[in-house]
Amino acid sequence: MQSRVVVSLEESNKDSNPPPPPSIKTAIPTQSRGFPLRMLRLFFLFLSLCFAFSFISIYAIRRFGVQNVVTTVRSGFIPSCIGGAAADSFATLERFIAPPSNLLHRMSDEELFWRATLVPRIQKYPFSRVPKVAFMFLSKGPLPLAPLWERFFSGHQGLYSIYLHSLPSFEAKFPPSSVFYRRQVPSKGKMSMCDAERRLLANALLDISNEWFILLSESCIPLYNFSIIYRYIRSTNQSFMGAFDDEGPYGRGRYNENMAPEVNITQWRKGSQWFELRRNLAVSIVEDTKYYPKFEEFCRPNCYVDEHYFPTMLTIEAPNELANRSITWVDWSRGGAHPATFGGADITAEFFKKIYDSQKCKYNDREEFQICNLFARKFSPSTLEPLLHISQQVLGF
């Protein structure tokens, strides 16, 4: 541009009648005319891509849940050029407290347990929280009594969550209308019974509305309707887990002195693996790195971790919070190493009357309370049809 000015000045000195000054259009070099237009097009293209990706991200979050798009967040795929729409979907409280819509995830047990132990320290929730019961089913494969449980849960949406842990080789195929649809948790890491139970607890803790956690097997049935069970659990501050001192070979006889000093023999407890826990105790189990390594290393080969770890650890850490009894009824009257298994011929009104009449227990410091066991086991697949036939009359649903 300067060279043009110099030339024009030189020519004005030579010619007394200089030509008219060049117009703006002729003064701008030809090659620079399209440059701002191309930049503007590129900017609008980039802006359009940002809006498109933001819309897809928000839709994916609403459709599949935050857990399934967490890799998108880690990868930094949410465009910073937008800021508002996509970022707000992660920043709102509703997004934070929403339970995972799909239980499948790629977290290892170490990552899962760490995530599950992130708990609020302010006890007053800044939103309307309806406490739920997490029903956790531990099964090798299918749930033969699922239709009975479907009937039990019917009409109580919003008061329960369901979690199913099975062997990795089993793929649950429930129809979309089922309460068990897509409720199978990933089976990663170690596959002992105790590890599976901790994994169930950790997955259930991801839903901040879950307040009580019940562990059941595929052979369990409810003895009462949902409303009675919900009120029973909600009306007490204790958790239901058996934890007793067995001085015989199947109790203290399984203790290993290498567990000291974390666990001494006077603290050694035994109990049923089927339990009900409040949320704070569930967190204590998942976050435990003090007792679990001891049990993992020294509670073997004839020491069953699932019968000793939970009762012993909670007796040491929170003895006053345990009712020291299970809420799952079993029949040991037939003798043997395992409780009785019931078939279709056992399912009668008289059979359940004996169960109900035999119940006397302590509940909230009240003696001889008539509802003690909320569930019962072990019921074979052949009991399904007769159970469905008498469930409304006998079980109340």
Side-chain angles (χ1 to χ4, degrees):
M1 199 66 181
Q2 290 178 351
S3 59
R4 287 183 174 235
V5 175
V6 172
V7 172
S8 299
L9 290 174
E10 289 177 352
E11 289 178 352
S12 64
N13 294 332
K14 294 179 181 178
D15 193 348
S16 57
N17 297 313
S23 65
I24 296 177
K25 290 184 178 181
T26 58
I28 300 176
T30 305
Q31 64 270 22
S32 65
R33 291 178 184 176
F35 181 75
L37 184 59
R38 285 199 301 271
M39 286 294 294
L40 193 60
R41 287 175 178 174
L42 287 174
F43 174 77
F44 279 113
L45 177 62
F46 178 70
L47 197 62
S48 300
L49 289 174
C50 288
F51 275 111
F53 193 84
S54 299
F55 177 82
I56 294 172
S57 299
I58 295 172
Y59 174 80
I61 293 166
R62 291 177 177 175
R63 176 65 178 83
F64 302 106
V66 175
Q67 293 293 328
N68 291 336
V69 294
V70 69
T71 52
T72 303
V73 183
R74 291 176 178 173
S75 302
F77 256 72
I78 296 181
S80 59
C81 60
I82 300 303
D88 284 348
S89 65
F90 283 89
T92 59
L93 180 64
E94 288 75 14
R95 280 295 163 204
F96 179 77
I97 64 178
S101 59
N102 193 329
L103 298 183
L104 295 180
H105 57 73
R106 297 180 180 179
M107 289 186 286
S108 66
D109 278 359
E110 182 181 12
E111 294 171 327
L112 172 64
F113 291 172
W114 179 87
R115 171 64 182 84
T117 55
L118 300 180
V119 297
R121 295 299 179 184
I122 300 177
Q123 297 302 314
K124 185 177 180 180
Y125 292 90
F127 57 92
S128 178
R129 177 180 182 263
V130 178
K132 298 189 297 185
V133 181
F135 289 84
M136 308 179 300
F137 291 86
L138 185 60
S139 172
K140 293 181 180 179
L143 295 177
L145 302 178
L148 181 70
W149 284 101
E150 298 270 6
R151 185 179 292 184
F152 168 79
F153 288 118
S154 179
H156 300 284
Q157 290 78 6
L159 297 177
Y160 67 86
S161 301
I162 295 175
Y163 302 86
L164 170 62
H165 189 293
S166 57
L167 295 175
S169 58
F170 173 73
E171 182 180 355
K173 295 182 179 179
F174 293 99
S177 59
S178 172
V179 296
F180 296 99
Y181 181 63
R182 291 184 176 177
R183 304 309 297 175
Q184 186 173 5
V185 303
S187 302
K188 298 181 180 180
K190 301 172 184 177
M191 287 308 301
S192 73
M193 295 283 282
C194 185
D195 291 307
E197 292 164 16
R198 296 180 80 211
R199 196 174 297 122
L200 275 168
L201 283 171
N203 278 280
L205 281 168
L206 297 181
D207 186 342
I208 199 169
S209 293
N210 286 334
E211 183 64 27
W212 307 282
F213 304 79
I214 299 176
L215 181 68
L216 302 162
S217 76
E218 74 274 15
S219 68
C220 287
I221 67 167
L223 291 175
Y224 300 92
N225 63 40
F226 184 92
S227 297
I228 291 176
I229 290 177
Y230 185 85
R231 288 197 301 267
Y232 188 93
I233 293 174
R234 185 170 186 171
S235 300
T236 179
N237 291 323
Q238 289 188 309
S239 294
F240 296 95
M241 174 178 288
F244 59 94
D245 185 4
D246 182 355
E247 297 183 359
Y250 303 112
R252 289 195 179 192
R254 295 173 176 174
Y255 175 77
N256 188 321
E257 293 181 353
N258 290 308
M259 292 187 177
E262 286 80 4
V263 180
N264 62 58
I265 194 168
T266 62
Q267 298 169 319
W268 186 254
R269 294 293 184 270
K270 181 182 179 180
S272 171
Q273 70 181 105
W274 315 107
F275 56 74
E276 180 275 328
L277 295 174
R278 295 181 66 84
R279 187 176 184 88
N280 64 312
L281 296 188
V283 173
S284 297
I285 288 175
V286 172
E287 70 181 3
D288 173 41
T289 58
K290 178 180 179 181
Y291 304 100
Y292 179 75
K294 287 284 186 174
F295 279 86
E296 183 182 33
E297 184 175 0
F298 300 114
C299 186
R300 54 170 143 182
N302 296 319
C303 172
Y304 300 98
V305 178
D306 53 285
E307 292 184 7
H308 296 281
Y309 168 60
F310 297 115
T312 300
M313 179 260 190
L314 294 178
T315 295
I316 297 173
E317 294 295 324
N320 296 329
E321 296 188 44
L322 298 182
N324 197 19
R325 66 178 176 88
S326 175
I327 51 174
T328 304
W329 179 88
V330 290
D331 182 10
W332 290 97
S333 64
R334 301 182 185 182
H338 301 283
T341 298
F342 305 106
D346 294 304
I347 307 306
T348 63
E350 291 74 20
F351 170 79
F352 284 100
K353 185 176 185 302
K354 290 180 181 179
I355 295 177
Y356 297 135
D357 290 345
S358 65
Q359 296 194 38
K360 289 183 180 180
C361 60
K362 189 176 182 179
Y363 176 77
N364 286 348
D365 297 325
R366 292 171 57 188
E367 298 292 343
E368 297 191 359
F369 196 73
Q370 294 301 311
I371 298 180
C372 301
N373 302 121
L374 304 180
F375 309 94
R377 59 185 292 267
K378 305 167 54 175
F379 291 80
S380 67
S382 65
T383 62
L384 176 61
E385 290 304 321
L387 282 170
L388 291 174
H389 181 69
I390 70 169
S391 68
Q392 187 170 3
Q393 172 193 352
V394 177
L395 304 179
F397 60 90

